[in-house]
Amino acid sequence: MMANISALVNVHWFVGVPFLINDTTTRLAIAQQAYEILGDHLMGIQIGNEPDLYQAHGHYTSYGPFDYYGDFGVYVQDMKSANLPGTDLLVGPSIAYADWTTEEVWNTGFVSAYNENLAFLTVENYPTDNCALRFNTGGPIQDPQTIFPNFLSHTSQFSGNNIIQKFLNSTQFAIANGKRLLMMETNTGSCGGFPGISDAFGAALWGIDYAFQMAYNNFAGGMIHVGGQNVYYNPFTPPPTNQSTFHQWTVGPTYYSALVAAESIGPSNSTQVLDLGANSGNVYTPAYAFYENGDPVRVGIINYVTDPTGASDLQVQIAIGGSGIGQSNQSPASVKVKYVPLFASLLFDK
């Protein structure tokens, strides 16, 4: 199925090898089959998922960064012993930043030891979670309408800007080691998201700002988590069973985030992104510039303000070069403006 999708729309894939399957043959078969079936459409093989939660979730009585370092090495050696291809496509450590920090993993020597095997360095993170309600964990249950404002500015508690602060050392570490850092899994809140937040228009703006922040801070990319029929944060959800031809798929807010991010950043794989600190750093109207070969080619502007009167609509002036900065005027005579999406006027619209 995955190869068929790639044949139609050129999708590339990551596959995961779970450490919690204590069966070397099965672990190796996952990587082998993925490589043989997907070929050039296989971007990476994830070795373990959220290993910093193994101990907390009861899978081990004790499990730390050096245990992961060792397990990763065992898998590499098993692949080599079986003469499997793809030993240079592995990704890790994919921690949730829950019980370990990325620095604790880097300090084990993980990257230098497995440099030839690592296609990406990977992390996973959510701004908050809805686990107490979904799984009765005993923790405090969060009221979505109370916390929704924490998603709705450039620097708010659950903003992309705030999420990635803990990884800024790691983006520089990745660059210094010739690697790319990828946000392997994220969304509005772990354990399925929140009704009234994850499925509302505001989440689309949040996702756009988050994606631009990752690009600005040297992430190689990010992946939006998709769940089943009973979660709130899916970028898209298929109908149950074989009903696609008449019930069709539905899309969620972060689907539009992905579209806007992809079109804004572009396909060159060399785009430079700059957070402009626009409007004197107004946290409700962030703006970004996108450069190709050092030249500004696109601008992305977000307005978090809900105001049906129109009084908070943005009036934007964009100048490229000019006497104010001692350059010749390079502003184009005309520009193409796109508004996405058009269907919602209020942040809580669905």
Side-chain angles (χ1 to χ4, degrees):
M1 179 187 292
M2 294 162 69
N4 289 340
I5 292 172
S6 294
L8 292 171
V9 290
N10 198 32
V11 171
H12 290 68
W13 304 89
F14 290 89
V15 299
V17 176
F19 273 169
L20 301 180
I21 295 178
N22 191 23
D23 179 348
T24 301
T25 301
T26 301
R27 289 180 178 181
L28 294 176
I30 293 171
Q32 181 177 10
Q33 291 296 310
Y35 192 90
E36 292 176 356
I37 293 170
L38 297 174
D40 291 342
H41 289 100
L42 178 62
M43 288 188 68
I45 302 169
Q46 183 195 32
I47 307 303
N49 182 64
E50 297 180 343
D52 55 326
L53 290 174
Y54 286 175
Q55 182 176 334
H57 289 172
H59 300 300
Y60 295 92
T61 56
S62 177
Y63 196 90
F66 277 98
D67 295 300
Y68 178 76
Y69 171 96
D71 283 346
F72 193 99
V74 169
Y75 191 81
V76 170
Q77 189 55 53
D78 287 343
M79 289 187 73
K80 290 180 177 179
S81 297
N83 199 30
L84 294 185
T87 55
D88 60 342
L89 292 177
L90 308 186
V91 306
S94 303
I95 68 168
Y97 211 91
D99 292 343
W100 310 342
T101 67
T102 46
E103 287 79 7
E104 288 177 300
V105 180
W106 310 148
N107 290 342
T108 66
F110 174 76
V111 175
S112 58
Y114 306 121
N115 182 67
E116 66 179 15
N117 309 114
L118 288 163
F120 290 88
L121 304 181
T122 52
V123 294
E124 304 180 8
N125 207 235
Y126 293 80
T128 186
D129 70 81
N130 195 24
C131 301
L133 180 63
R134 292 293 307 281
F135 300 112
N136 194 28
T137 63
I141 294 175
Q142 302 193 83
D143 172 38
Q145 295 313 303
T146 300
I147 66 172
F148 196 14
N150 295 333
F151 290 84
L152 300 178
S153 89
H154 187 51
T155 57
S156 58
Q157 181 182 0
F158 299 147
S159 66
N161 179 288
N162 199 40
I163 293 169
I164 66 169
Q165 292 304 307
K166 64 179 75 73
F167 298 117
L168 296 184
N169 287 339
S170 293
T171 59
Q172 296 307 307
F173 176 82
I175 292 169
N177 285 274
K179 297 299 178 184
R180 296 169 290 176
L181 185 69
L182 179 73
M183 182 64 75
M184 192 74 178
E185 176 183 322
T186 193
N187 210 309
T188 46
S190 59
C191 299
F194 298 89
I197 296 179
S198 306
D199 53 0
F201 174 56
L205 301 183
W206 170 87
I208 294 168
D209 200 5
Y210 185 8
F212 290 170
Q213 274 296 301
M214 284 192 285
Y216 170 55
N217 286 285
N218 296 305
F219 275 78
M223 296 202 292
I224 302 167
H225 192 255
V226 182
Q229 294 280 339
N230 62 340
V231 303
Y232 303 103
Y233 61 23
N234 282 350
F236 49 80
T237 305
T241 67
N242 188 22
Q243 300 180 25
S244 295
T245 56
F246 54 95
H247 279 162
Q248 301 186 1
W249 291 42
T250 57
V251 297
T254 52
Y255 175 82
Y256 296 96
S257 304
L259 290 182
V260 173
E263 185 162 338
S264 299
I265 296 171
S268 72
N269 205 31
S270 60
T271 308
Q272 296 170 298
V273 182
L274 178 65
D275 185 339
L276 295 172
N279 301 327
S280 301
N282 189 316
V283 297
Y284 298 107
T285 56
Y288 297 82
F290 302 89
Y291 293 78
E292 300 284 1
N293 299 314
D295 295 323
V297 293
R298 292 176 293 277
V299 173
I301 303 166
I302 300 167
N303 185 359
Y304 280 109
V305 180
T306 287
D307 185 353
T309 71
S312 300
D313 289 355
L314 284 180
Q315 302 294 321
V316 177
Q317 292 183 329
I318 300 171
I320 302 174
S323 59
I325 55 174
Q327 295 181 352
S328 60
N329 178 33
Q330 302 175 52
S331 299
S334 62
V335 296
K336 179 185 290 186
V337 179
K338 293 186 177 183
Y339 296 86
V340 181
L342 290 171
F343 61 82
S345 59
L346 301 174
L347 291 170
F348 49 80
D349 280 354
K350 297 185 178 181

